[in-house]
Amino acid sequence: MRVVVVAGPDPGHAFPAIALCKRFAAAGDTPTLLTGVQWLDTARAAGVDAAELLGLDPTAADDDADDGAKLHHRAARMAVENRDQLRALAPDLVVSDVITACGGMAAELLGMGWVELSPHPLYLPSKGLPPIGSGLAPGTGIRGRLRDAVMRSLTARSVRGGLRQRAEARAGIGLPADDPGPLRRLIATLPALEVPRPDWPAEAVVVGPLHFEPTEQVLAVPPGSGPLVVVAPSTAATGAAGLAELALEHLVPGAGLPDGARLAVSRLGGPPLELPSWAVAGLGRQDELLTHADVVVCGGGHGMVAKTLLGGVPLVVVPGGGDQWEIANRVVRQGSGRLIRPLSGPALAEAVGAVLASPSYRDAARRAAGTAIDVADPVRVCHEALSGTG
C-alpha cells in the first residue's frame, strides 16, 4: 500500500507522523511524509521518504488571531496547494494529522480515502464529559452532571462556530459543506490517559503512542547513585517558559532534593545553560534517558507524558497552554504525578521531593504503562479501513 502521511512542523505532531511512517515501512508499505522543511532531513535520515508540505507559511489572507480560521480556512488553502503533489504521489490512502486538516481535504478533492491521526487522546466533544480542555473529571451525581451540562452549553456556541467555519472553508474549494469525516481516527495515546465516554465514535481506535527519537545521541547522566530528575521543557510555543533555568536553580541536592540527586535537562535546542557538576543538558535519546530516571518534570505535552508513562516513570507536570492543562489533570487523576500551577521554584522543589518520596506515583505510572497491551496496530487499522473489513 502506498500511503502519504501529512503533519505540520510542530514536534508533537511531526514526530508521531515519522513514527507512523516507520511502522508502515516495517510492514512492507511505501510511506511518504509531507511536513515542514525543518524535519525533512531528520525523516530521511530515519529512512522515511519526505517532502515539503506546501503552504505552511501564513499569507496576508490568513487570520491567525481566529483559531477557527487558522485551522479550517488555512487548511482549505493548503489542500489546494498540495493537491497536485498528492496526485503525483498516487497514494492508496492519506493519513492526516488532526490539526493539519489540509491532508484530509486534499484527499477528498482527489477522491481518495483518508484517516485522521490524533497524537493525543480523543478531543472530540462528548455528551458525557465536561468540555475538553477544562481538566475536569466527568461530574457525578445530579450536581456533577448538571455542572457538565451547563459547561457544555456555554461552549456550544464556539463548537457551532467552528463547524460553520469548516463548512465555509470546504465549500470554498468545491467540497461538500457537510464533512463526512475520516474512515478511521487513530488515537495515539495510552488507554490510561483516555476518559470513558458514552458516545465513543465507531471510527476511533486507540493505537498507542507513536514515538520517534530525532537523534541517536545518548545524553550521559551525571555520575552517582542518587535519584535522577529529568527535566524536559515543552517544545510547544504555548509551553511554560524558563522551566530548565528554574529547575537548575531550585532542584539542588541537599537543598530541595535528596543528597546525591542528579539533574538531566533534555531539550532539542536553546541557549547555553550554566551547569553545576550534578547536572547535564542537551539533546539525547529520551527513551534511553528514561531508563535511568526517577521522576520527570515536563510541560504536559502528550508526547513526553506518554513516553514517560510507558517507561513507568512518575511525573511533575508544569502545564502551559493548549491541551497541556487537560493532560496534566488526567495524569493527576490517574495517580502518576503532581501538577504545578502557578510555577515557582519552591513549588517545583516540593512537588519533585514529594514524588520521589512516595512509591505510589511510580506504582501508578507502571499501571499506566501496563495499559499499552490494550491497543490496536495502527497499520492494520489503516489496511482494514481501506479494504472496508475493519
Side-chain angles (χ1 to χ4, degrees):
M1 178 175 72
R2 293 187 58 84
V3 58
V4 170
V5 180
V6 179
D10 185 280
H13 295 266
F15 288 179
I18 295 174
L20 182 59
C21 285
K22 289 173 65 69
R23 296 279 288 271
F24 276 119
D29 295 314
T30 305
T32 297
L33 174 69
L34 300 185
T35 191
V37 293
Q38 59 266 57
W39 299 120
L40 297 184
D41 288 343
T42 301
R44 290 164 183 161
V48 173
D49 181 45
E52 179 184 359
L53 179 61
L54 305 176
L56 282 167
D57 292 332
T59 69
D62 291 329
D63 182 6
D64 281 0
D66 184 327
D67 287 341
K70 184 177 181 180
L71 180 62
H72 305 303
H73 289 282
R74 183 184 291 189
R77 170 180 62 78
M78 290 176 61
V80 174
E81 291 186 46
N82 285 278
R83 176 173 49 188
D84 289 344
Q85 179 175 212
L86 193 61
R87 180 188 288 114
L89 290 169
D92 302 294
L93 183 71
V94 174
V95 178
S96 186
D97 178 82
V98 63
I99 66 168
T100 317
C102 62
M105 290 187 185
E108 286 189 64
L109 286 173
L110 296 172
M112 298 175 181
W114 70 283
V115 165
E116 183 178 84
L117 171 60
S118 294
H120 48 59
L122 177 65
Y123 288 156
L124 291 178
S126 168
K127 66 182 181 182
L129 301 179
I132 300 297
S134 69
L136 294 171
T140 58
I142 295 175
R143 289 186 179 182
R145 290 192 292 272
L146 178 61
R147 179 207 67 182
D148 291 353
V150 170
M151 292 183 67
R152 288 194 298 270
S153 69
L154 293 174
T155 58
R157 181 179 179 183
S158 295
V159 173
R160 290 194 299 269
L163 293 174
R164 183 172 61 252
Q165 286 178 312
R166 190 174 186 89
E168 292 170 353
R170 290 173 57 84
I173 58 172
L175 291 174
D178 291 335
D179 188 349
L183 298 173
R184 296 288 187 277
R185 301 182 195 272
L186 306 178
I187 312 302
T189 192
L190 280 167
L193 290 173
E194 267 299 353
V195 179
R197 56 173 74 200
D199 48 1
W200 183 270
E203 76 279 3
V205 184
V206 177
V207 298
L210 294 167
H211 293 311
F212 169 72
E213 297 291 339
T215 180
E216 290 301 319
Q217 297 180 81
V218 173
L219 185 62
V221 301
S225 58
L228 177 67
V229 180
V230 172
V231 179
S234 174
T235 59
T238 56
L243 181 58
E245 292 80 1
L246 198 68
L248 285 165
E249 180 181 355
H250 289 274
L251 300 183
V252 179
L257 289 186
D259 289 331
R262 300 160 294 157
L263 192 71
V265 179
S266 173
R267 59 182 189 162
L268 288 171
L273 297 170
E274 292 188 18
L275 298 172
S277 60
W278 41 266
V280 296
L283 175 64
R285 291 190 64 98
Q286 290 180 329
D287 55 355
E288 196 280 336
L289 185 60
L290 287 170
T291 63
H292 307 283
D294 293 282
V295 61
V296 168
V297 180
C298 68
H302 176 265
M304 192 64 205
V305 167
K307 188 184 295 186
T308 301
L309 291 179
L310 273 175
V313 180
L315 294 134
V316 171
V317 189
V318 185
D323 67 343
Q324 294 186 4
W325 178 251
E326 179 73 32
I327 291 288
N329 278 278
R330 294 188 184 194
V331 166
V332 171
R333 292 201 300 272
Q334 195 270 330
S336 54
R338 294 275 295 269
L339 183 159
I340 300 175
R341 182 182 277 188
L343 174 62
S344 69
L348 180 61
E350 188 278 329
V352 171
V355 171
L356 287 174
S358 174
S360 66
Y361 295 104
R362 181 172 286 274
D363 291 343
R366 288 171 175 166
R367 289 196 300 272
T371 66
I373 64 172
D374 298 319
V375 301
D377 174 11
V379 174
R380 178 180 58 79
V381 171
C382 287
H383 277 267
E384 291 177 348
L386 190 61
S387 67
T389 60

